[in-house]
Amino acid sequence: MGKLRAAGRLLAIGAVTGFYYALVTFGGLAGRLRTELGLRCRDFCLRNWSRALLRLMGARVSVRGAPPSPPFMLVSNHLSYVDVLVLASRVSPVFLAKSEVAGWPLVGALCRSVGTLFVDRRNRRDLPRVLAAIDRALERGQGVVVFPEGTSTPGREVGPFHPGLLAGAAKGGRPVSWASLSYATDDPSAPAHETVCWWGEMTFPDHLFDLLSLPGFRVSVVFGERTIRETDRKALAARLRQAVAGGFEPVVAAG
């Protein structure tokens, strides 16, 4: 039953993704002449594509707090590629992704079509370019989502926040919003840290198929009530990590 469920969902996800990819591609062409139109089309497609995929995956999303309105910079803990869908279904963001994602089949093209910013985390000299791109997105009135942990985790705790991508916000005294994400399943034999969280050496195709085999899963999102400002990037990273950890429900118990 699980394999049939996964196969059917994959077909539906492919059809929905193709439809919205065509829309956002057209919007991108229009946006070359009318930037506001292009951004509106991108935001509409990304938000509705994300909501459609979450429904197809069987995700039941509960939200506490109000998501920020653009322009904003939002940081969150990072557990899975599902994080992107969850946040994009609630806000209209530009995401940062590691540079390797740009070369992934299909996924890279999708990311580029919605304006994803790619960062080479192994090259510190790439940081000024990325910070400048973040500033430009904010100046255009867009929201930007950053995962400062730098990698996804099994959700035992919120990992340390790397301060590099927060340097622009600290330098400008810019307020930063935050969110906490957590996942759960109803099946003890398929715990969320193994089936929803994507981390370590898990391969994307196998993990996605296992995720789509689940009857469903639960998502908890907490948006912070107050933004955080600091003029020191390390202090900003520490305060944001503390705030995110305070709203976080561990996916897997310590022990």
Side-chain angles (χ1 to χ4, degrees):
M1 181 62 184
K3 291 183 178 180
L4 287 175
R5 181 186 295 118
R9 285 174 169 174
L10 274 174
L11 289 174
I13 286 171
V16 169
T17 298
F19 173 74
Y20 280 108
Y21 181 73
L23 284 181
V24 80
T25 301
F26 172 77
L29 292 173
R32 294 176 185 174
L33 299 176
R34 299 177 62 184
T35 302
E36 184 177 354
L37 176 60
L39 291 177
R40 281 184 181 180
C41 180
R42 187 207 77 100
D43 290 346
F44 172 86
C45 291
L46 181 58
R47 181 170 58 252
N48 286 280
W49 172 72
S50 299
R51 291 176 178 176
L53 261 60
L54 288 171
R55 285 194 296 270
L56 289 171
M57 288 177 170
R60 305 188 301 278
V61 183
S62 65
V63 180
R64 284 194 296 154
S69 299
F72 62 80
M73 188 170 187
L74 175 72
V75 303
S76 170
N77 60 309
H78 195 17
L79 301 169
S80 173
Y81 48 84
V82 181
D83 302 347
V84 173
L85 301 177
V86 173
L87 293 176
S89 72
R90 302 291 163 173
V91 297
S92 299
V94 172
F95 286 95
L96 269 71
K98 58 185 180 181
S99 56
E100 295 90 332
V101 175
W104 290 2
L106 298 179
V107 176
L110 286 170
C111 290
R112 288 191 297 272
S113 72
V114 294
T116 300
L117 303 176
F118 297 102
V119 54
D120 185 350
R121 296 184 182 274
R122 297 165 299 182
N123 183 4
R124 291 189 176 185
R125 289 180 293 182
D126 191 42
L127 186 59
R129 177 192 64 82
V130 177
L131 293 176
I134 291 173
D135 287 341
R136 288 193 296 270
L138 293 171
E139 289 168 2
R140 289 194 298 267
Q142 295 179 279
V144 177
V145 171
V146 176
F147 297 112
E149 288 172 292
T151 188
S152 51
T153 76
R156 191 179 302 276
E157 62 183 358
V158 177
F161 278 11
H162 301 289
L165 292 173
L166 301 172
K171 183 177 180 180
R174 186 184 303 133
V176 182
S177 302
W178 61 269
S180 289
L181 301 174
S182 186
Y183 299 102
T185 65
D186 297 323
D187 185 354
S189 67
H193 72 280
E194 294 179 357
T195 55
V196 185
C197 298
W198 184 52
W199 53 281
E201 300 301 318
M202 294 180 178
T203 61
F204 177 69
D206 290 339
H207 183 273
L208 178 61
F209 194 83
D210 288 342
L211 173 63
L212 296 180
S213 298
L214 295 174
F217 60 94
R218 289 172 277 128
V219 186
S220 173
V221 189
V222 178
F223 287 105
E225 294 182 2
R226 294 187 176 89
T227 58
I228 294 177
R229 294 177 189 256
E230 285 286 352
T231 55
D232 179 83
R233 61 189 177 92
K234 293 183 179 180
L236 179 59
R239 285 191 61 193
L240 286 167
R241 192 261 176 193
Q242 183 180 33
V244 172
F248 176 63
E249 299 176 20
V251 179
V252 55

